Amino acid sequence: MSAVPATGPLAGLRVIELAQIMAGPSCGALLADLGADVVKVEKIPGGDDTRRYAEPQVQGESAAFMMMNRNKRSIAVDLKTEGGRRVLRRLAQRADVLTENYRRGALDRLGLGFDALHALNPALIYCAISGYGRTGPAADKGGFDLIAQGVSGLMSITGEPGGAPVKVGSPVTDMNAGLLAALGIVSAYVHRLKTGQGQFVDTSLLEAGIHQTAWQAAIFFATGVSPGPGGSAHVLAAPYQAFPTLDGWINIGGANQSNWERIARLVGAPELIDDPRFKDNSARMAHREALAALLGAHLRERRTEDWLRELDAAGIPAGPIRSIGEMASDPQTLAREMVVELEHPVAGRTRALGVPVKFSATPGSVRRPAPTFGQHTREVLREHGFEAGEIDALLAEGAIGEA
């Protein structure tokens, strides 16, 4: 099925991806990395909207699209045509999983919603990823990461105290929704192995954002007070934040009493250990700003590299604040194969992020670059029993497209 045989734990799992941009495609990428055969069904005209994210491009190919869609095959289908709907129904009859991020009711109106496809294939796992979930008063609204970060409370706890609302730098609700969807699909697959029955899996950007507020929600539930932003500082432990050095910044984690005392001695301020303001974590949290200022004054005296050497030797959790480029060339990143190279048919030699979960017996892999639009239409349809004449007729109808 793939250019390079899949060997991951999900090898043989057949997935139809009716999703675009990020949350759904990130779910599909995870499943594909772990061995699933993910067929990306792209709309006509244009395909996944991420293909038109203009910058940056590599030889005219969207870098964003290539990142989110490696290991997949692309077919171009117009679901507004009877022929396109016939194609999707044929694929769904043989599929294990279908993912989609249409607005509620859109696929039902085309006869392609869960009820219709479940009737065709009772073993099908149907996963909907939306802005707010498929139930509740906001279920009909569209979803975007920025909006979800605000509604979920994430933006109220991000940034520096007293500053303007700040989104998390990564599209965290999109990415976390993809993770939750992948977990839901695999869990539903375990259930299907036991019972033979598929089911409907439902997650959203809202829930993905709420899921990220665990510490702050714990504080609110305990005190009735909504926490605000704390910059890089931890909401429950101190010292645990970024500190300035002579030539940059460094993260130091003193999340327990032992680490705190070692930090104080290492920076040359052992007297802080007996200071009543810092005697235990509760006291340090109450005087966190004063503690940060005192430690920062010492840490500014030396370079980041010098501090890291001593902190590592002392067993104190610490690390530099790297750029994306520095991360991508770090020896540990490379040792964990988190940067891989691919040969794209148009863009040429490109790099992508690697598989973030390792397996001793069934390792995942990045086996193929992101597809061009409709690259595998004819190939996939042949696998599903369509004859050459049928495919040509569907092309003539405009129900499908190919590269």
Side-chain angles (χ1 to χ4, degrees):
M1 300 283 280
S2 299
V4 177
T7 58
L10 299 182
L13 190 75
R14 294 164 296 190
V15 179
I16 301 170
E17 180 175 289
L18 280 175
Q20 65 170 350
I21 303 182
M22 178 156 274
S26 70
C27 169
L30 285 169
L31 299 176
D33 286 354
L34 300 183
D37 175 28
V38 178
V39 173
K40 185 176 185 68
V41 179
E42 299 195 63
K43 65 187 178 183
I44 295 175
D48 189 320
D49 284 348
T50 312
R51 289 190 181 276
R52 290 177 292 285
Y53 283 8
E55 299 299 338
Q57 293 187 349
V58 183
Q59 301 297 326
E61 294 291 309
S62 164
F65 179 86
M66 289 191 289
M67 180 62 72
M68 301 309 302
N69 293 285
R70 81 289 186 81
N71 274 346
K72 302 174 187 177
R73 297 190 290 169
S74 168
I75 70 172
V77 181
D78 185 353
L79 296 179
K80 295 178 181 178
T81 66
E82 179 51 42
R85 293 190 290 274
R86 180 158 55 91
V87 166
L88 188 68
R89 284 192 289 267
R90 180 85 64 90
L91 267 61
Q93 284 179 303
R94 298 189 183 186
D96 298 298
V97 177
L98 181 145
T99 65
E100 57 102 335
N101 64 350
Y102 283 70
R103 289 203 184 206
R104 185 171 69 164
L107 289 177
D108 293 294
R109 289 190 290 274
L110 295 173
L112 301 172
F114 171 71
D115 290 338
L117 297 185
H118 182 68
L120 282 176
N121 179 2
L124 182 67
I125 296 162
Y126 186 114
C127 178
I129 307 169
S130 59
Y132 296 87
R134 293 302 198 207
T135 58
D140 290 325
K141 297 179 67 173
F144 298 88
D145 174 74
L146 172 65
I147 311 305
Q149 287 201 32
V151 174
S152 67
L154 274 178
M155 287 180 66
S156 74
I157 58 174
T158 304
E160 294 294 334
V166 177
K167 70 180 286 292
V168 180
S170 162
V172 65
T173 67
D174 272 330
M175 296 299 289
N176 198 42
L179 282 166
L180 295 175
L183 174 62
I185 287 166
V186 171
S187 300
Y189 186 53
V190 171
H191 173 76
R192 198 188 83 176
L193 292 175
K194 297 175 181 177
T195 67
Q197 288 297 307
Q199 62 181 296
F200 185 73
V201 178
D202 174 11
T203 192
S204 70
L205 274 61
L206 172 65
E207 286 154 310
I210 291 172
H211 180 249
Q212 294 286 333
T213 68
W215 287 138
Q216 289 81 5
I219 291 170
F220 172 76
F221 294 151
T223 67
V225 176
S226 295
S232 65
H234 198 287
V235 71
L236 296 173
Y240 191 102
Q241 64 185 85
F243 292 95
T245 66
L246 183 63
D247 62 349
W249 289 81
I250 188 172
N251 280 324
I252 300 177
N256 57 49
Q257 190 67 21
S258 175
N259 278 339
W260 151 240
E261 293 180 4
R262 283 187 287 170
I263 291 168
R265 294 189 185 98
L266 187 143
V267 303
E271 70 280 1
L272 297 181
I273 297 172
D274 297 322
D275 190 315
R277 294 175 298 171
F278 313 129
K279 65 178 181 177
D280 57 26
N281 187 63
S282 294
R284 291 191 296 276
M285 285 297 296
H287 300 92
R288 187 172 62 190
E289 292 183 10
L291 177 60
L294 289 166
L295 290 178
H298 289 278
L299 290 163
R300 282 192 185 92
E301 295 174 357
R302 300 177 62 189
R303 298 184 307 148
T304 298
E305 183 180 342
D306 298 329
W307 283 122
L308 282 174
R309 190 181 305 112
E310 293 195 17
L311 289 159
D312 285 346
I316 298 168
I321 299 172
R322 292 195 174 110
S323 68
I324 300 300
E326 291 167 338
M327 171 279 292
S329 60
D330 180 72
Q332 184 64 20
T333 300
L334 300 178
R336 295 292 289 173
E337 298 181 329
M338 282 307 296
V339 175
V340 297
E341 291 193 345
L342 293 165
E343 191 68 38
H344 190 275
V346 176
R349 201 71 175 168
T350 60
R351 288 187 292 173
L353 296 180
V355 183
V357 184
K358 275 58 174 181
F359 296 84
S360 62
T362 55
S365 61
V366 181
R367 304 173 299 282
R368 62 163 80 227
T372 57
F373 178 54
Q375 180 180 347
H376 305 98
T377 299
R378 191 172 289 270
E379 173 185 306
V380 171
L381 266 57
R382 283 199 304 262
E383 291 171 1
H384 286 77
F386 286 88
E387 301 292 339
E390 289 181 277
I391 296 172
D392 290 339
L394 288 166
L395 283 167
E397 180 190 343
I400 62 172
E402 62 180 345

